[in-house]
């Protein structure tokens, strides 16, 4: 048996540490890993509060951001062996036959089942995964940093793949949560002319982290008129790129007010509430509104390489907890004391 953080039913707070069966390899291309580090995601907190906007299966072990050591491989696994340090992507299951799976965009597979949501996840001592979604961790990258590959890839996908960004651009990031903070680091790789992070007074600690990550300015949204403040700079026409890593509609409205004519808004944060305002300014400005979701295999390889080179470093936004302290890890992250909690399932 092993320890696992299980979301056992609907209703707020229905999460507990349980003893569950250790997973074993079932198919020839599966791998079981001993989980060394597992990040707490905003989506885990949403499931904890039963406020998620996506379908879930319960009971389910939470967690989809993790790293570990290979302890068992299926008979046809060739790329990995016992003892390898690995990270694994989030889709526990994809159909392999839809047009998205066939073109490497399996993050968009309509049948995708993610860890910690529709399949048992990583806040446990062991996890069963697939050879096809594992990646080797570079020797100089710790398990804790490697467990952050997933959120780093979410940000990397939004900035490097889905955004038009050039050196010298004026870039604004809404939301200093883990994804917004990694978006700051990812944007920094493109040498923006000015990089602004927007948060609230409650985000003080996280705004400081954003500055350490390369933001030139932090704007506290509840202490000023965000739009007027940002438009004061430069030629007053607004930022070339707005990265919205917040799940409420007010930041989208502000993004549309802010964005430079011909510029782009990339929407990473999401929430089920209707937006409730006119999109006309977006059309009049001929600006682009782009969604970004998840990531795929080549992005993981690139992000791991960038972490190995020290160009991306998620650790300063994290705090570590033994798995028994999962509740503290959830509650402290929820209180915005720091951006990211990481559980250590073996301690
Ligand atoms: Zn996540
Ligand atoms: Zn598919």
């Amino acid at each position: 048996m092993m320890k696992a953080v299980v979301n056992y039913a609907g209703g707020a707070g229905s999460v507990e540490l349980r003893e569950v069966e250790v997973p074993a390899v079932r198919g020839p291309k599966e791998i079981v890993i001993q989980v060394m580090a597992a990040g707490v995601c905003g989506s885990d907190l949403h499931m904890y509060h039963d406020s998620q906007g996506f379908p879930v299966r319960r009971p389910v072990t939470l967690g989809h951001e993790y790293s570990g050591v290979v302890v068992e491989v299926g008979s046809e696994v060739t790329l990995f062996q016992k003892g390898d340090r690995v990270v694994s992507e989030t889709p526990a299951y994809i159909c392999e036959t839809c047009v998205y799976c066939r073109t490497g965009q399996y993050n968009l597979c309509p049948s995708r089942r993610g860890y910690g949501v529709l399949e048992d996840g990583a806040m446990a001592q062991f996890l069963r995964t697939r050879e096809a979604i594992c990646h080797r961790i570079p020797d100089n990258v710790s398990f804790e940093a490697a467990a952050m590959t997933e959120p780093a890839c979410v940000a990397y996908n939004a900035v490097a793949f889905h955004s038009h960004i050039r050196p010298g651009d004026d870039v604004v990031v809404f939301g200093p949560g883990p994804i917004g903070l990694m978006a700051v680091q990812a944007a920094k790789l493109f040498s923006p002319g000015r990089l602004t992070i927007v948060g609230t007074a409650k985000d003080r600690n996280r705004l400081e982290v954003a500055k350490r990550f390369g933001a030139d300015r932090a704007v506290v949204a509840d202490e000023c008129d965000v739009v007027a403040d940002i438009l004061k700079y430069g030629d007053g026409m607004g930022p070339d790129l707005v990265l919205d890593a917040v799940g409420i509609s007010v930041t989208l409205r502000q993004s549309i007010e802010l964005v430079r004519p011909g510029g782009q808004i990339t929407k990473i944060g999401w929430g089920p509430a209707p937006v409730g305002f006119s999109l006309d300014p977006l059309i009049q400005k001929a600006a682009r509104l782009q969604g970004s979701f998840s990531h795929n295999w080549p992005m993981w390889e690139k992000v791991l390489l960038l972490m190995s080179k020290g160009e991306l470093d998620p650790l300063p936004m994290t705090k570590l907890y033994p798995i028994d302290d999962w509740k503290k890890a959830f509650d402290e992250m929820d209180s915005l004391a720091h951006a990211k909690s990481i559980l250590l399932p073996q301690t």
Side-chain angles (χ1 to χ4, degrees):
M1 300 296 276
M2 65 169 186
K3 292 177 185 174
V5 179
V6 178
N7 183 193
Y8 55 87
S14 302
V15 173
E16 65 185 12
L17 192 66
R18 284 189 175 179
E19 286 284 324
V20 302
E21 212 70 55
V22 176
V25 159
R26 296 167 308 191
K29 290 186 174 292
E30 289 184 338
I31 287 177
V32 173
I33 69 173
Q34 181 181 29
V35 181
M36 300 304 289
V40 179
C41 182
S43 64
D44 297 309
L45 296 177
H46 282 305
M47 287 174 69
Y48 177 43
H49 299 305
D50 200 12
S51 61
Q52 72 286 342
F54 44 83
V56 300
R57 186 206 85 193
R58 290 170 170 132
V60 72
T61 299
L62 293 171
H64 58 266
E65 306 171 355
Y66 54 99
S67 60
V69 178
V70 174
V71 291
E72 191 190 355
V73 295
S75 58
E76 290 176 18
V77 169
T78 57
L79 298 174
F80 300 95
Q81 52 191 356
K82 275 188 205 174
D84 284 349
R85 301 167 77 242
V86 294
V87 286
S88 147
E89 299 174 38
T90 52
Y93 172 85
I94 56 168
C95 77
E96 295 181 21
T97 54
C98 75
V99 64
Y100 299 107
C101 285
R102 288 176 191 274
T103 53
Q105 299 172 282
Y106 51 85
N107 50 320
L108 304 178
C109 172
S111 307
R112 173 187 183 277
R113 294 203 299 267
Y115 285 114
V117 179
L118 294 170
E119 294 285 340
D120 283 333
M123 292 183 192
Q125 294 179 295
F126 296 89
L127 172 124
R128 176 176 44 231
T129 181
R130 303 183 286 123
E131 180 183 30
I133 56 170
C134 285
H135 302 259
R136 225 169 281 284
I137 303 173
D139 289 343
N140 67 342
V141 176
S142 67
F143 285 117
E144 293 80 10
M148 296 294 97
T149 311
E150 198 277 331
C153 284
V154 171
Y156 182 84
N157 187 14
V159 176
F161 278 79
H162 281 133
S163 298
H164 187 257
I165 178 169
R166 285 183 294 208
D169 274 358
D170 186 1
V171 178
V172 172
V173 178
F174 274 98
I179 303 295
L181 290 172
M182 291 317 295
V184 166
Q185 282 200 10
K188 195 70 184 169
L189 297 173
F190 293 85
S191 296
R194 185 177 51 238
L195 182 51
T196 305
I197 179 84
V198 183
T200 66
K202 282 188 295 185
D203 291 317
R204 288 254 187 251
N205 295 344
R206 309 197 300 179
L207 289 172
E208 283 312 309
V209 175
K211 286 190 193 161
R212 285 175 65 189
F213 281 10
D216 300 304
R217 314 174 50 230
V219 175
V220 181
D222 33 8
E223 291 175 359
C224 69
D225 178 339
V226 177
V227 174
D229 185 281
I230 291 174
L231 290 179
K232 269 201 315 249
Y233 289 83
D235 62 6
M237 300 299 279
D240 301 279
L241 174 64
V242 182
L243 297 155
D244 183 359
V246 178
I248 55 172
S249 67
V250 61
T251 56
L252 179 60
R253 182 169 53 75
Q254 290 168 334
S255 299
I256 291 173
E257 284 175 39
L258 274 174
V259 70
R260 189 174 194 80
Q264 178 174 340
I265 299 162
T266 303
K267 190 94 179 80
I268 321 169
W270 52 330
V275 291
F277 52 83
S278 168
L279 294 177
D280 283 359
L282 185 79
I283 294 147
Q284 191 178 27
K285 286 180 175 183
R288 185 157 41 148
L289 176 58
Q290 170 75 50
S292 184
F293 176 69
S294 198
H295 30 67
N296 62 14
W297 201 89
M299 295 176 201
W300 280 67
E301 290 291 307
K302 285 177 180 159
V303 164
L304 284 163
L305 187 62
L306 289 167
M307 288 208 275
S308 177
K309 290 183 71 185
E311 305 266 353
L312 291 177
D313 178 16
L315 283 184
M317 70 176 182
T318 64
K319 186 173 172 187
L320 311 179
Y321 302 82
I323 193 168
D324 290 352
D325 290 346
W326 70 269
K327 191 170 188 315
K328 193 172 166 209
F330 278 39
D331 291 341
E332 288 190 359
M333 183 169 150
D334 230 0
S335 74
L336 309 183
H338 53 271
K340 191 69 164 181
S341 295
I342 296 180
L343 299 182
L344 304 174
Q346 307 303 327
T347 60

